[in-house]
Amino acid sequence: MGLFGRKKKQGKGTLDRASDNTDQRHLIDFIKTRTGVEAYLEPKTTVTETTVMLIAHDGEWTRRRVDGPAGAFALGRKYNTPVYEVAKTGYPQRKRDFDARRKLEQQRRQ
């Protein structure tokens, strides 16, 4: 059999692990301990599973895996958190501002 005649392994199609309870607990804790949290759904790629980025009112953020788009929207419904598709909306300016502040603080410490 030639090199290209071999069957490929059937898998999920990514190199990443699936979402687990630790991911869910982290997301729920972030929602419960911050104000003004919004969720930004990030699509599955060949490298990572579907992820959601939660962004608080001050721009603080976290990212974890979810069980597909349905999992992200279910999380949003359960905790009354709006969910946006980042491919359509992009990230809010407050996230970029938060990252810039954090980078500046790190530079000052060094």
Side-chain angles (χ1 to χ4, degrees), residues 18-108:
S19 174
D20 60 19
N21 288 335
T22 305
D23 294 326
Q24 290 298 312
R25 283 193 305 268
H26 178 81
L27 294 171
I28 292 166
D29 182 59
F30 190 89
I31 291 170
K32 288 181 174 183
T33 58
R34 277 53 168 206
T35 59
V37 176
E38 296 175 332
Y40 290 83
L41 177 65
E42 300 170 322
K44 176 180 174 178
T45 68
T46 56
V47 178
T48 61
E49 288 294 324
T50 304
T51 56
V52 68
M53 180 180 284
L54 298 179
I55 304 175
H57 78 285
D58 62 352
E60 181 183 6
W61 60 272
T62 190
R63 174 186 287 129
R64 292 291 186 276
R65 293 163 191 83
V66 290
D67 292 329
F73 287 108
L75 182 72
R77 277 191 306 275
K78 185 171 183 177
Y79 294 98
N80 201 26
T81 302
V83 179
Y84 304 102
E85 293 182 47
V86 76
K88 294 179 181 177
T89 64
Y91 297 107
Q93 184 63 43
R94 68 182 183 274
K95 180 215 177 279
R96 291 186 288 279
D97 293 343
F98 178 83
D99 289 343
R101 285 191 309 271
R102 190 164 51 178
K103 184 177 180 180
L104 185 60
E105 289 169 2
Q106 287 176 346
Q107 289 172 346
R108 287 180 181 166

Coordinates of all heavy atoms in Angstrom, one line a residue, residues 18-108:
A18 N -10.6 17.9 25.2 CA -11.9 18.4 25.3 C -12.1 19.2 26.6 O -11.3 19.2 27.5 CB -12.9 17.2 25.2
S19 N -13.2 19.9 26.6 CA -13.6 20.6 27.9 C -13.9 19.6 29.0 O -14.4 18.5 28.8 CB -14.9 21.4 27.6 OG -15.4 22.0 28.7
D20 N -13.6 20.0 30.2 CA -13.8 19.2 31.4 C -14.5 20.0 32.5 O -14.7 21.2 32.4 CB -12.6 18.4 31.8 CG -11.5 19.4 32.2 OD1 -11.7 20.5 32.6 OD2 -10.3 18.9 32.3
N21 N -14.7 19.3 33.6 CA -15.4 20.0 34.8 C -14.5 21.1 35.3 O -15.1 22.1 35.8 CB -15.7 19.0 35.9 CG -16.9 18.1 35.5 OD1 -17.7 18.4 34.6 ND2 -16.9 16.9 36.0
T22 N -13.2 21.0 35.3 CA -12.4 22.0 35.8 C -12.6 23.3 35.0 O -12.6 24.4 35.5 CB -10.9 21.6 35.7 OG1 -10.7 20.4 36.5 CG2 -10.0 22.6 36.3
D23 N -12.7 23.2 33.7 CA -12.9 24.3 32.8 C -14.2 25.0 33.2 O -14.3 26.2 33.3 CB -12.9 23.9 31.3 CG -11.6 23.4 30.8 OD1 -10.6 24.0 31.3 OD2 -11.6 22.5 30.0
Q24 N -15.3 24.2 33.3 CA -16.6 24.7 33.6 C -16.6 25.4 35.0 O -17.2 26.5 35.1 CB -17.6 23.6 33.6 CG -17.9 23.0 32.3 CD -18.5 24.1 31.3 OE1 -19.4 24.8 31.7 NE2 -18.0 24.2 30.1
R25 N -16.0 24.8 36.0 CA -15.9 25.4 37.3 C -15.2 26.8 37.3 O -15.6 27.8 37.9 CB -15.2 24.5 38.3 CG -16.1 23.4 38.8 CD -15.6 22.7 40.0 NE -14.2 22.2 39.8 CZ -13.9 20.9 39.3 NH1 -14.9 20.1 39.1 NH2 -12.7 20.5 39.2
H26 N -14.1 26.9 36.5 CA -13.4 28.1 36.4 C -14.2 29.2 35.8 O -14.3 30.3 36.2 CB -12.1 27.9 35.6 CG -11.3 29.2 35.4 ND1 -10.5 29.7 36.3 CD2 -11.3 30.0 34.3 CE1 -10.0 30.8 35.9 NE2 -10.4 31.0 34.7
L27 N -14.9 28.9 34.7 CA -15.8 29.8 34.0 C -16.9 30.3 35.0 O -17.2 31.5 35.0 CB -16.4 29.2 32.7 CG -15.4 28.9 31.6 CD1 -16.1 28.1 30.5 CD2 -14.8 30.2 31.1
I28 N -17.5 29.4 35.7 CA -18.6 29.7 36.6 C -18.1 30.6 37.7 O -18.7 31.6 38.0 CB -19.3 28.5 37.1 CG1 -20.1 27.8 36.0 CG2 -20.3 28.8 38.3 CD1 -20.5 26.3 36.3
D29 N -17.0 30.3 38.2 CA -16.4 31.1 39.3 C -16.1 32.5 38.8 O -16.3 33.5 39.5 CB -15.1 30.5 39.8 CG -14.5 31.2 41.0 OD1 -15.2 31.4 42.0 OD2 -13.3 31.7 40.8
F30 N -15.6 32.6 37.6 CA -15.3 34.0 37.0 C -16.5 34.8 36.9 O -16.6 36.0 37.3 CB -14.6 33.8 35.7 CG -14.0 35.1 35.1 CD1 -12.7 35.5 35.4 CD2 -14.8 35.9 34.3 CE1 -12.2 36.7 34.9 CE2 -14.3 37.1 33.8 CZ -13.0 37.5 34.1
I31 N -17.6 34.2 36.4 CA -18.9 34.9 36.2 C -19.4 35.3 37.6 O -19.9 36.5 37.7 CB -19.9 34.0 35.5 CG1 -19.5 33.7 34.0 CG2 -21.3 34.6 35.6 CD1 -20.3 32.7 33.3
K32 N -19.3 34.5 38.6 CA -19.9 34.8 39.9 C -19.1 35.8 40.7 O -19.7 36.5 41.5 CB -20.1 33.5 40.7 CG -21.1 32.6 40.2 CD -21.3 31.4 41.1 CE -22.4 30.5 40.7 NZ -22.6 29.3 41.6
T33 N -17.8 36.0 40.4 CA -17.0 36.9 41.2 C -16.6 38.2 40.5 O -15.9 39.0 41.0 CB -15.7 36.1 41.6 OG1 -15.0 35.7 40.4 CG2 -16.0 34.9 42.5
R34 N -17.1 38.4 39.3 CA -16.9 39.6 38.6 C -18.2 40.2 38.1 O -19.2 39.6 38.1 CB -16.1 39.4 37.3 CG -14.5 39.3 37.4 CD -14.0 38.5 38.2 NE -12.6 38.2 38.2 CZ -12.1 37.1 38.6 NH1 -12.9 36.1 39.0 NH2 -10.8 36.9 38.6
T35 N -18.2 41.5 37.8 CA -19.4 42.2 37.4 C -19.3 42.5 35.9 O -18.2 42.7 35.3 CB -19.7 43.5 38.1 OG1 -18.6 44.4 38.0 CG2 -19.9 43.2 39.6
G36 N -20.4 42.6 35.2 CA -20.5 43.0 33.8 C -19.8 42.0 32.9 O -19.3 42.4 31.9
V37 N -19.9 40.7 33.2 CA -19.2 39.7 32.4 C -19.9 39.4 31.1 O -21.2 39.3 31.1 CB -19.0 38.4 33.2 CG1 -18.3 37.3 32.3 CG2 -18.1 38.6 34.4
E38 N -19.2 39.4 30.0 CA -19.7 39.0 28.7 C -18.9 37.8 28.2 O -17.7 37.7 28.5 CB -19.7 40.1 27.7 CG -20.5 41.3 28.1 CD -20.3 42.5 27.1 OE1 -19.3 42.6 26.5 OE2 -21.3 43.3 27.0
A39 N -19.5 36.9 27.4 CA -18.8 35.8 26.8 C -18.6 36.0 25.3 O -19.5 36.4 24.6 CB -19.6 34.5 27.1
Y40 N -17.4 35.6 24.9 CA -17.1 35.7 23.5 C -16.7 34.3 23.0 O -15.6 33.8 23.4 CB -15.9 36.7 23.3 CG -16.4 38.1 23.5 CD1 -16.5 38.7 24.8 CD2 -16.9 38.9 22.4 CE1 -17.0 39.9 25.0 CE2 -17.4 40.2 22.7 CZ -17.4 40.7 23.9 OH -17.9 41.9 24.2
L41 N -17.5 33.8 22.1 CA -17.3 32.4 21.6 C -16.2 32.4 20.5 O -16.3 33.2 19.6 CB -18.6 31.9 21.0 CG -18.6 30.5 20.4 CD1 -18.3 29.5 21.4 CD2 -20.0 30.3 19.7
E42 N -15.2 31.6 20.7 CA -14.1 31.4 19.8 C -14.3 30.1 19.1 O -14.4 29.0 19.7 CB -12.8 31.5 20.5 CG -12.6 32.8 21.2 CD -11.4 32.9 22.1 OE1 -11.1 31.9 22.8 OE2 -10.8 34.0 22.1
P43 N -14.3 30.0 17.8 CA -14.6 28.8 17.0 C -13.5 27.8 17.2 O -12.3 28.1 17.5 CB -14.7 29.3 15.6 CG -13.9 30.5 15.5 CD -14.0 31.2 16.9
K44 N -13.9 26.5 17.0 CA -13.0 25.4 17.0 C -12.0 25.6 15.8 O -12.4 26.0 14.7 CB -13.8 24.1 16.8 CG -13.0 22.9 16.7 CD -14.0 21.7 16.5 CE -13.2 20.4 16.2 NZ -14.1 19.3 16.2
T45 N -10.7 25.2 16.0 CA -9.7 25.2 14.9 C -9.1 23.9 14.8 O -9.5 23.0 15.6 CB -8.6 26.3 15.2 OG1 -7.9 25.8 16.3 CG2 -9.2 27.7 15.5
T46 N -8.1 23.7 13.9 CA -7.4 22.4 13.8 C -6.5 22.2 15.0 O -6.1 21.1 15.3 CB -6.6 22.4 12.6 OG1 -5.7 23.5 12.6 CG2 -7.5 22.4 11.3
V47 N -6.3 23.2 15.8 CA -5.4 23.1 17.0 C -6.1 23.1 18.3 O -5.8 22.4 19.2 CB -4.3 24.2 17.0 CG1 -3.4 24.1 18.2 CG2 -3.5 24.2 15.7
T48 N -7.2 23.9 18.4 CA -7.9 24.0 19.7 C -9.4 23.7 19.5 O -10.0 23.9 18.4 CB -7.8 25.4 20.3 OG1 -8.4 26.3 19.4 CG2 -6.4 25.7 20.6
E49 N -10.0 23.1 20.6 CA -11.4 22.9 20.6 C -12.1 24.3 20.7 O -11.4 25.3 20.9 CB -11.8 22.1 21.8 CG -11.4 20.6 21.6 CD -12.2 19.9 20.5 OE1 -13.4 20.2 20.3 OE2 -11.6 19.1 19.9
T50 N -13.4 24.3 20.7 CA -14.2 25.6 20.9 C -13.9 26.2 22.3 O -13.8 25.4 23.3 CB -15.7 25.3 20.8 OG1 -15.9 24.7 19.5 CG2 -16.5 26.6 20.9
T51 N -13.6 27.4 22.3 CA -13.3 28.1 23.6 C -14.2 29.3 23.8 O -14.8 29.8 22.8 CB -11.8 28.6 23.7 OG1 -11.6 29.4 22.6 CG2 -10.9 27.4 23.7
V52 N -14.3 29.8 25.0 CA -15.0 31.0 25.3 C -14.1 31.9 26.1 O -13.4 31.4 27.0 CB -16.4 30.7 26.0 CG1 -16.2 30.2 27.4 CG2 -17.3 31.9 26.0
M53 N -14.1 33.2 25.8 CA -13.4 34.1 26.5 C -14.4 35.0 27.3 O -15.3 35.5 26.7 CB -12.6 35.1 25.7 CG -11.8 36.1 26.4 SD -10.8 37.2 25.4 CE -9.5 36.1 25.0
L54 N -14.3 35.0 28.6 CA -15.1 35.8 29.5 C -14.4 37.1 29.8 O -13.2 37.1 30.2 CB -15.5 35.1 30.8 CG -16.2 33.8 30.7 CD1 -16.4 33.2 32.1 CD2 -17.5 33.9 30.0
I55 N -15.1 38.2 29.6 CA -14.5 39.5 29.8 C -15.4 40.3 30.8 O -16.5 40.5 30.5 CB -14.3 40.3 28.5 CG1 -13.5 39.4 27.5 CG2 -13.7 41.6 28.7 CD1 -13.4 40.0 26.1
A56 N -14.7 40.7 31.9 CA -15.5 41.5 32.9 C -15.5 43.0 32.5 O -14.9 43.4 31.5 CB -14.8 41.3 34.3
H57 N -16.2 43.8 33.3 CA -16.5 45.2 33.0 C -15.2 46.0 32.9 O -15.1 46.9 32.2 CB -17.4 45.8 34.1 CG -16.7 46.1 35.3 ND1 -16.3 45.1 36.3 CD2 -16.3 47.3 35.9 CE1 -15.7 45.7 37.3 NE2 -15.7 47.0 37.1
D58 N -14.1 45.5 33.7 CA -12.9 46.3 33.7 C -11.9 45.8 32.7 O -10.8 46.3 32.6 CB -12.2 46.2 35.1 CG -11.9 44.8 35.5 OD1 -12.3 43.9 34.9 OD2 -11.3 44.7 36.6
G59 N -12.3 44.8 31.9 CA -11.4 44.2 30.8 C -10.7 43.0 31.3 O -10.0 42.3 30.4
E60 N -10.7 42.6 32.6 CA -10.1 41.4 33.0 C -10.8 40.2 32.2 O -12.0 40.2 32.0 CB -10.3 41.2 34.5 CG -9.6 39.9 35.0 CD -9.9 39.7 36.5 OE1 -10.6 40.5 37.1 OE2 -9.3 38.7 37.0
W61 N -10.0 39.2 31.9 CA -10.5 38.2 31.0 C -9.9 36.8 31.4 O -8.9 36.7 32.0 CB -10.3 38.4 29.6 CG -8.9 38.6 29.1 CD1 -8.1 39.7 29.2 CD2 -8.0 37.6 28.7 NE1 -6.9 39.5 28.7 CE2 -6.8 38.2 28.4 CE3 -8.2 36.2 28.4 CZ2 -5.7 37.5 27.9 CZ3 -7.1 35.5 27.9 CH2 -5.9 36.1 27.7
T62 N -10.6 35.8 31.0 CA -10.1 34.4 31.1 C -10.7 33.6 29.9 O -11.7 34.0 29.3 CB -10.6 33.8 32.4 OG1 -9.9 32.5 32.6 CG2 -12.1 33.5 32.5
R63 N -10.0 32.6 29.5 CA -10.4 31.7 28.4 C -10.3 30.3 28.8 O -9.4 29.8 29.4 CB -9.4 32.0 27.2 CG -9.7 31.1 26.0 CD -8.6 31.2 25.0 NE -8.8 32.5 24.3 CZ -7.8 33.4 24.1 NH1 -6.6 33.2 24.5 NH2 -8.1 34.5 23.4
R64 N -11.4 29.5 28.4 CA -11.4 28.1 28.7 C -12.2 27.4 27.6 O -13.0 28.0 26.9 CB -12.1 27.8 30.0 CG -11.3 28.2 31.3 CD -10.0 27.4 31.5 NE -9.3 27.7 32.7 CZ -8.5 28.7 32.9 NH1 -8.2 29.5 31.9 NH2 -7.9 28.9 34.0
R65 N -12.0 26.1 27.5 CA -12.7 25.3 26.5 C -14.2 25.1 27.0 O -14.4 25.1 28.2 CB -12.0 23.9 26.5 CG -10.7 23.9 25.9 CD -10.0 22.6 26.2 NE -8.6 22.7 25.9 CZ -7.6 23.2 26.7 NH1 -7.9 23.7 27.9 NH2 -6.4 23.2 26.3
V66 N -15.0 24.9 26.0 CA -16.4 24.6 26.3 C -16.8 23.5 25.3 O -16.1 23.2 24.4 CB -17.3 25.9 26.0 CG1 -17.1 26.9 27.1 CG2 -17.2 26.5 24.7
D67 N -18.0 22.9 25.6 CA -18.5 21.9 24.8 C -19.2 22.4 23.5 O -20.5 22.3 23.4 CB -19.5 21.0 25.6 CG -18.7 20.2 26.7 OD1 -17.5 19.9 26.5 OD2 -19.3 19.9 27.7
G68 N -18.5 23.0 22.7 CA -19.0 23.6 21.4 C -19.8 24.8 21.6 O -20.0 25.3 22.8
P69 N -20.3 25.4 20.6 CA -21.2 26.6 20.7 C -22.4 26.4 21.6 O -22.7 27.3 22.3 CB -21.6 26.9 19.2 CG -20.5 26.2 18.4 CD -20.1 25.0 19.2
A70 N -23.0 25.2 21.5 CA -24.1 24.9 22.4 C -23.8 25.1 23.8 O -24.6 25.6 24.6 CB -24.7 23.6 22.1
G71 N -22.6 24.6 24.2 CA -22.1 24.7 25.6 C -22.0 26.1 26.0 O -22.3 26.5 27.2
A72 N -21.4 27.0 25.1 CA -21.2 28.4 25.5 C -22.6 29.1 25.6 O -22.8 29.9 26.6 CB -20.4 29.1 24.4
F73 N -23.5 28.8 24.7 CA -24.8 29.5 24.8 C -25.6 29.0 26.0 O -26.3 29.7 26.7 CB -25.6 29.3 23.5 CG -25.1 30.2 22.4 CD1 -24.4 29.6 21.4 CD2 -25.2 31.6 22.5 CE1 -23.9 30.4 20.3 CE2 -24.7 32.4 21.5 CZ -24.0 31.8 20.4
A74 N -25.4 27.7 26.4 CA -26.1 27.2 27.6 C -25.5 27.8 28.8 O -26.3 28.2 29.8 CB -25.9 25.7 27.7
L75 N -24.2 28.0 28.9 CA -23.6 28.7 30.0 C -24.1 30.1 30.1 O -24.5 30.6 31.2 CB -22.1 28.7 29.9 CG -21.3 29.4 31.0 CD1 -21.3 28.5 32.2 CD2 -19.8 29.6 30.5
G76 N -24.2 30.8 29.0 CA -24.8 32.2 29.0 C -26.2 32.3 29.5 O -26.5 33.1 30.3
R77 N -27.0 31.3 29.1 CA -28.4 31.3 29.5 C -28.5 31.0 31.0 O -29.3 31.7 31.7 CB -29.2 30.3 28.7 CG -29.7 30.7 27.4 CD -30.7 29.7 26.8 NE -30.2 28.3 26.7 CZ -29.4 27.8 25.8 NH1 -29.1 28.6 24.8 NH2 -29.0 26.6 25.8
K78 N -27.8 30.1 31.5 CA -27.8 29.7 32.9 C -27.4 30.8 33.8 O -28.0 31.0 34.9 CB -27.0 28.4 33.1 CG -27.1 27.9 34.5 CD -26.5 26.5 34.6 CE -26.7 26.0 36.0 NZ -26.1 24.6 36.2
Y79 N -26.4 31.5 33.4 CA -25.8 32.6 34.3 C -26.1 34.0 33.8 O -25.5 35.0 34.3 CB -24.3 32.4 34.5 CG -24.1 31.1 35.2 CD1 -23.8 29.9 34.6 CD2 -24.3 31.0 36.6 CE1 -23.6 28.7 35.2 CE2 -24.1 29.8 37.3 CZ -23.7 28.7 36.6 OH -23.6 27.5 37.3
N80 N -27.1 34.1 32.9 CA -27.6 35.4 32.4 C -26.4 36.3 31.9 O -26.3 37.4 32.3 CB -28.4 36.1 33.5 CG -29.3 37.2 33.0 OD1 -29.7 37.1 31.8 ND2 -29.5 38.2 33.8
T81 N -25.6 35.7 31.1 CA -24.4 36.3 30.5 C -24.6 36.4 29.0 O -24.8 35.3 28.4 CB -23.1 35.5 30.9 OG1 -23.1 35.4 32.3 CG2 -21.9 36.1 30.4
P82 N -24.5 37.6 28.4 CA -24.6 37.6 27.0 C -23.4 36.9 26.3 O -22.3 37.0 26.8 CB -24.5 39.1 26.7 CG -24.0 39.8 27.9 CD -24.2 38.9 29.0
V83 N -23.7 36.2 25.2 CA -22.7 35.5 24.4 C -22.6 36.1 23.0 O -23.6 36.2 22.4 CB -23.0 34.0 24.4 CG1 -22.0 33.2 23.6 CG2 -23.2 33.4 25.8
Y84 N -21.4 36.4 22.6 CA -21.2 37.0 21.3 C -20.2 36.1 20.5 O -19.4 35.4 21.1 CB -20.6 38.4 21.4 CG -21.4 39.3 22.2 CD1 -21.0 39.6 23.5 CD2 -22.5 39.9 21.7 CE1 -21.7 40.5 24.3 CE2 -23.2 40.8 22.4 CZ -22.9 41.1 23.7 OH -23.6 42.0 24.5
E85 N -20.4 36.0 19.2 CA -19.5 35.2 18.4 C -18.3 36.2 18.0 O -18.6 37.2 17.3 CB -20.2 34.7 17.2 CG -21.2 33.6 17.5 CD -21.9 33.0 16.3 OE1 -21.1 32.7 15.3 OE2 -23.1 32.9 16.3
V86 N -17.1 35.9 18.5 CA -16.0 36.8 18.3 C -15.7 37.0 16.8 O -15.2 38.1 16.4 CB -14.8 36.4 19.1 CG1 -14.1 35.2 18.4 CG2 -13.8 37.5 19.3
A87 N -16.0 36.0 16.0 CA -15.7 36.2 14.5 C -16.6 37.3 13.9 O -16.3 37.9 12.9 CB -16.0 34.9 13.8
K88 N -17.8 37.5 14.6 CA -18.7 38.6 14.1 C -18.5 39.9 14.7 O -18.7 40.9 14.1 CB -20.1 38.1 14.2 CG -20.5 36.9 13.4 CD -21.9 36.5 13.7 CE -22.3 35.2 12.9 NZ -23.7 34.8 13.1
T89 N -18.2 39.9 16.0 CA -18.1 41.1 16.8 C -16.7 41.6 17.1 O -16.5 42.8 17.4 CB -18.9 41.0 18.1 OG1 -18.2 40.0 18.9 CG2 -20.3 40.6 17.9
G90 N -15.8 40.7 17.2 CA -14.4 41.1 17.6 C -14.5 41.2 19.2 O -15.5 41.0 19.8
Y91 N -13.3 41.5 19.8 CA -13.2 41.7 21.2 C -13.5 43.2 21.6 O -13.1 44.1 20.8 CB -11.8 41.3 21.7 CG -11.5 39.8 21.5 CD1 -10.6 39.4 20.5 CD2 -12.1 38.9 22.2 CE1 -10.4 38.1 20.3 CE2 -11.9 37.5 22.0 CZ -11.0 37.2 21.1 OH -10.7 35.8 20.8
P92 N -14.0 43.4 22.8 CA -14.2 44.8 23.1 C -12.9 45.6 23.5 O -11.9 44.9 23.9 CB -15.1 44.7 24.4 CG -14.8 43.3 24.9 CD -14.4 42.5 23.8
Q93 N -13.0 46.9 23.3 CA -11.8 47.7 23.6 C -11.3 47.5 25.0 O -10.1 47.6 25.3 CB -12.1 49.2 23.3 CG -10.9 50.1 23.4 CD -9.8 49.8 22.4 OE1 -10.0 49.5 21.3 NE2 -8.5 49.8 22.9
R94 N -12.2 47.3 25.9 CA -11.8 47.2 27.3 C -10.8 46.1 27.6 O -9.9 46.2 28.5 CB -13.0 47.2 28.3 CG -13.8 45.9 28.2 CD -15.0 46.0 29.2 NE -15.7 44.7 29.2 CZ -16.7 44.4 28.3 NH1 -17.0 45.3 27.4 NH2 -17.3 43.3 28.4
K95 N -10.9 45.0 26.8 CA -9.9 43.9 26.9 C -8.6 44.4 26.5 O -7.6 44.1 27.1 CB -10.4 42.7 26.1 CG -9.4 41.5 26.2 CD -9.4 40.8 24.9 CE -8.4 39.6 24.9 NZ -7.0 40.1 24.7
R96 N -8.5 45.0 25.3 CA -7.2 45.5 24.9 C -6.6 46.5 25.8 O -5.4 46.6 26.1 CB -7.3 46.1 23.5 CG -7.6 45.0 22.4 CD -7.7 45.6 21.0 NE -8.8 46.4 20.7 CZ -10.0 46.0 20.4 NH1 -10.2 44.7 20.3 NH2 -11.0 46.8 20.2
D97 N -7.4 47.4 26.4 CA -7.0 48.4 27.4 C -6.4 47.7 28.6 O -5.4 48.1 29.2 CB -8.1 49.3 27.8 CG -8.5 50.2 26.7 OD1 -7.8 50.4 25.7 OD2 -9.6 50.8 26.8
F98 N -7.1 46.6 29.1 CA -6.7 45.8 30.3 C -5.3 45.2 30.0 O -4.4 45.3 30.8 CB -7.7 44.8 30.6 CG -7.3 43.9 31.7 CD1 -7.5 44.3 33.1 CD2 -6.7 42.6 31.5 CE1 -7.1 43.5 34.1 CE2 -6.3 41.8 32.6 CZ -6.6 42.3 33.9
D99 N -5.1 44.6 28.8 CA -3.9 44.0 28.4 C -2.7 45.0 28.4 O -1.6 44.7 28.8 CB -4.0 43.3 27.1 CG -4.8 42.0 27.2 OD1 -5.1 41.5 28.3 OD2 -5.2 41.5 26.1
A100 N -3.0 46.2 27.9 CA -2.0 47.3 27.8 C -1.6 47.7 29.2 O -0.4 47.9 29.5 CB -2.5 48.4 27.0
R101 N -2.6 47.9 30.1 CA -2.3 48.3 31.5 C -1.4 47.2 32.2 O -0.5 47.5 32.8 CB -3.6 48.5 32.3 CG -4.3 49.7 32.0 CD -5.4 50.0 33.0 NE -6.3 48.9 33.2 CZ -7.4 48.7 32.5 NH1 -7.8 49.5 31.6 NH2 -8.2 47.7 32.8
R102 N -1.8 45.9 32.0 CA -1.0 44.9 32.6 C 0.4 44.8 32.0 O 1.3 44.6 32.8 CB -1.7 43.5 32.3 CG -1.2 42.4 33.2 CD -2.0 41.2 33.3 NE -2.5 40.7 32.0 CZ -3.3 39.7 31.8 NH1 -3.6 39.0 32.8 NH2 -3.7 39.3 30.6
K103 N 0.6 45.0 30.8 CA 1.9 45.0 30.2 C 2.7 46.2 30.7 O 3.9 46.0 31.1 CB 1.8 45.1 28.6 CG 3.1 45.0 27.9 CD 2.9 45.1 26.4 CE 4.3 45.0 25.7 NZ 4.1 45.1 24.3
L104 N 2.1 47.3 30.9 CA 2.8 48.5 31.4 C 3.2 48.3 32.9 O 4.4 48.6 33.3 CB 1.9 49.7 31.3 CG 2.5 51.1 31.7 CD1 3.8 51.4 30.9 CD2 1.5 52.2 31.6
E105 N 2.4 47.6 33.6 CA 2.7 47.3 35.0 C 3.8 46.4 35.1 O 4.7 46.5 36.0 CB 1.4 46.7 35.7 CG 0.4 47.7 36.0 CD -0.9 47.1 36.4 OE1 -1.0 45.9 36.6 OE2 -1.9 47.8 36.6
Q106 N 3.9 45.4 34.3 CA 5.0 44.4 34.3 C 6.3 45.1 33.9 O 7.3 44.8 34.5 CB 4.7 43.3 33.3 CG 3.7 42.3 33.8 CD 3.4 41.2 32.7 OE1 3.7 41.3 31.6 NE2 2.6 40.2 33.2
Q107 N 6.3 46.0 32.9 CA 7.5 46.7 32.5 C 8.0 47.6 33.7 O 9.2 47.7 33.9 CB 7.2 47.6 31.3 CG 7.0 46.8 30.0 CD 6.6 47.6 28.9 OE1 6.2 48.8 29.0 NE2 6.7 47.0 27.7
R108 N 7.1 48.2 34.4 CA 7.5 49.1 35.6 C 8.1 48.3 36.7 O 9.0 48.7 37.4 CB 6.3 49.8 36.1 CG 5.8 50.9 35.2 CD 4.6 51.7 35.8 NE 4.2 52.7 34.9 CZ 3.1 53.3 35.0 NH1 2.2 53.0 35.9 NH2 2.7 54.3 34.1

